[in-house]
Amino acid sequence: MDFEHKITVLGSTGSIGTQTLEIARRYKGIRLCALSAYSNIELLEAQTREFMPKLVCVADEKKAREFETKVSDLDVKVVSGKEGLLEAAAFRDAQTVVTAVVGISGLLPTITAIKAGKNIALANKETLVTGGHIVMPLAREYGVKILPVDSEHSAIFQSLQGNPKRIKKIILTASGGPFFKKTREELKNVTPKDALNHPNWSMGAKVTIDSSTLVNKGLEIIEAKWLFGVGIEDIEVVIHRQSILHSAVMYEDNAVIAQLGTPDMRLPIQYALTYPDRLPMENNELDFTQYMALTFEKPDTEAFYALELAKKAGLAGGILPTVFNSSDEAAVKLFLEGKISYPEISEIIKNAMEGVKNIPDPSITEILETDKNIKESIYLRS
């Protein structure tokens, strides 16, 4: 079939970004208009030479100057820093912006892209966790689509096709990570290497750590609230070790519609780029005969209590989801640097949430100031 789509990829050297380019490599109709990366200029140079985007942003300004020298023989504009990232997000030729940057740094580029009339292939859950009350109304105002790239939210989105109303609840699946069935006591000696050993998915370090603590699932609960217009209390988390059923929707008549597939992020990425069409994909066909059983269990919210903290933040709304997210970003950084223990990640989140007064309807400025203040206070105490 004929297919042409012009895209920008923010975070092109990360896990989601590289898989997005893999899809673009297969479907020549997907054209890369702009790319961005933080500092991996070696991979970024290779991507630039292959896909020939018109604009490339390197967030690290020192690395940007080095990158500009490397690609001086190419017809490409090189920009840097936060302003450069916003320029890439709004680049004129793109129809869709894949937001695959990590953390709250994805919020302003997403808003900028929306105001520029771009559809959003959303792989940055922090955008809706911290600014869902701003982003979703803005998308409606500008008439753009927010298409989820997370496997779970894509599964929900797919399960809602043809019948988006009469939802009883959303069933959000989680693999349980590498520490499934571990007690609080057993988690005390966990190392970063242990936590980065995810059983099913290949992801970046931050998301992999968050998956192990169930923080990632907590962020996904808040994201689902905004994406699908449901209450936090209408989202149920279920541990599904095989990562075959990616999530499901239960309707008012108790019928459950689910999306199943192999643990392969290329499928939700491709669907976000080609929606409402489905294009062929290689090497991801699900063979049911390879699975003796698909199992489902309740999460252990005593050992992994960050999940309950996320629900609390989501129910309260306001600035608390930002506090939850920002304190986790800071804590994960400290854990990966060997400065705190694994259980302290959840403890830091809990203390941060208890130490702030909620702001019911925070502005973008208040969100970003809170993020900065929370992280600085945690780093100073470490």
Side-chain angles (χ1 to χ4, degrees), residues 241-289:
R241 293 294 286 165
Q242 297 81 19
S243 297
I244 296 300
L245 191 153
H246 295 300
S247 278
V249 175
M250 179 180 287
Y251 290 93
E252 288 185 344
D253 59 0
N254 295 325
V256 177
I257 297 178
Q259 186 263 325
L260 289 77
T262 58
D264 186 342
M265 281 304 301
R266 293 177 305 151
L267 192 152
I269 295 168
Q270 180 169 298
Y271 190 62
L273 295 180
T274 64
Y275 173 81
D277 295 320
R278 288 185 180 272
L279 302 187
M281 180 172 285
E282 296 176 347
N283 305 319
N284 73 328
E285 185 173 340
L286 178 61
D287 182 356
F288 282 95
T289 65

Side-chain angles (χ1 to χ4, degrees), residues 20-26 28 30-33 35 46-54:
T20 302
L21 297 194
E22 183 181 338
I23 293 163
R25 194 172 287 121
R26 173 172 172 76
K28 301 304 181 184
I30 298 177
R31 306 290 178 83
L32 275 295
C33 298
L35 300 175
Q47 293 174 342
T48 302
R49 292 188 179 279
E50 179 180 2
F51 292 98
M52 299 300 290
K54 293 296 184 183

Side-chain angles (χ1 to χ4, degrees), residues 113-127:
I114 290 171
K115 289 182 176 179
K118 316 298 182 184
N119 292 322
I120 306 297
L122 187 68
N124 174 265
K125 58 181 64 67
E126 294 86 354
T127 289

Side-chain angles (χ1 to χ4, degrees), residues 37 54 80 92 133 160 165-166 191 248 264 316 368 373:
K54 293 296 184 183
S80 63
R92 63 184 182 279
H133 62 291
L160 287 168
K165 299 179 180 179
R166 304 291 185 184
T191 67
D264 186 342
L368 296 178
N373 293 337

Side-chain angles (χ1 to χ4, degrees), residues 63-73 76-78:
K63 290 281 188 179
R65 291 191 292 272
E66 186 181 343
F67 178 79
E68 192 168 20
T69 301
K70 285 176 175 288
V71 297
S72 59
D73 59 316
V76 58
K77 180 181 179 181
V78 178

Side-chain angles (χ1 to χ4, degrees), residues 107-326:
L107 177 59
L108 281 180
T110 302
I111 290 172
T112 300
I114 290 171
K115 289 182 176 179
K118 316 298 182 184
N119 292 322
I120 306 297
L122 187 68
N124 174 265
K125 58 181 64 67
E126 294 86 354
T127 289
L128 293 187
V129 169
T130 62
H133 62 291
I134 296 169
V135 171
M136 294 309 290
L138 201 62
R140 289 191 290 271
E141 179 184 345
Y142 282 85
V144 304
K145 297 183 180 68
I146 306 288
L147 299 164
V149 167
D150 272 350
S151 63
E152 295 86 354
H153 297 94
S154 177
I156 296 162
F157 181 68
Q158 292 177 64
S159 298
L160 287 168
Q161 296 307 304
N163 192 13
K165 299 179 180 179
R166 304 291 185 184
I167 299 173
K168 183 175 183 178
K169 66 178 174 180
I170 283 173
I171 301 165
L172 197 62
T173 56
S175 71
F179 309 130
F180 181 62
K181 298 291 189 183
K182 296 285 187 184
T183 64
R184 274 208 202 191
E185 188 64 29
E186 291 173 316
L187 293 174
K188 288 182 179 178
N189 297 317
V190 162
T191 67
K193 183 180 178 181
D194 297 330
L196 289 169
N197 186 27
H198 197 282
N200 299 337
W201 295 96
S202 176
M203 305 176 288
K206 166 66 165 58
V207 178
T208 304
I209 300 297
D210 283 348
S211 178
S212 74
T213 59
L214 293 191
V215 163
N216 195 52
K217 206 53 48 180
L219 295 171
E220 288 176 2
I221 288 173
I222 302 171
E223 184 182 10
K225 164 192 168 181
W226 291 111
L227 278 172
F228 307 114
V230 298
I232 295 293
E233 65 280 1
D234 299 321
I235 303 169
E236 178 184 359
V237 173
V238 176
I239 302 297
H240 170 52
R241 293 294 286 165
Q242 297 81 19
S243 297
I244 296 300
L245 191 153
H246 295 300
S247 278
V249 175
M250 179 180 287
Y251 290 93
E252 288 185 344
D253 59 0
N254 295 325
V256 177
I257 297 178
Q259 186 263 325
L260 289 77
T262 58
D264 186 342
M265 281 304 301
R266 293 177 305 151
L267 192 152
I269 295 168
Q270 180 169 298
Y271 190 62
L273 295 180
T274 64
Y275 173 81
D277 295 320
R278 288 185 180 272
L279 302 187
M281 180 172 285
E282 296 176 347
N283 305 319
N284 73 328
E285 185 173 340
L286 178 61
D287 182 356
F288 282 95
T289 65
Q290 296 301 307
Y291 297 89
M292 296 294 292
L294 300 181
T295 60
F296 303 92
E297 300 183 43
K298 291 182 180 295
D300 179 358
T301 53
E302 181 179 342
F304 302 95
Y305 64 92
L307 183 62
E308 292 301 304
L309 294 175
K311 290 180 182 178
K312 180 179 178 181
L315 284 167
I319 205 66
L320 275 187
T322 296
V323 175
F324 176 87
N325 177 74
S326 302

Side-chain angles (χ1 to χ4, degrees), residues 345-361:
I345 296 173
S346 298
E347 290 172 18
I348 285 172
I349 297 170
K350 180 175 181 289
N351 292 337
M353 287 177 60
E354 290 176 347
V356 299
K357 182 179 179 181
N358 202 5
I359 303 171
D361 188 25

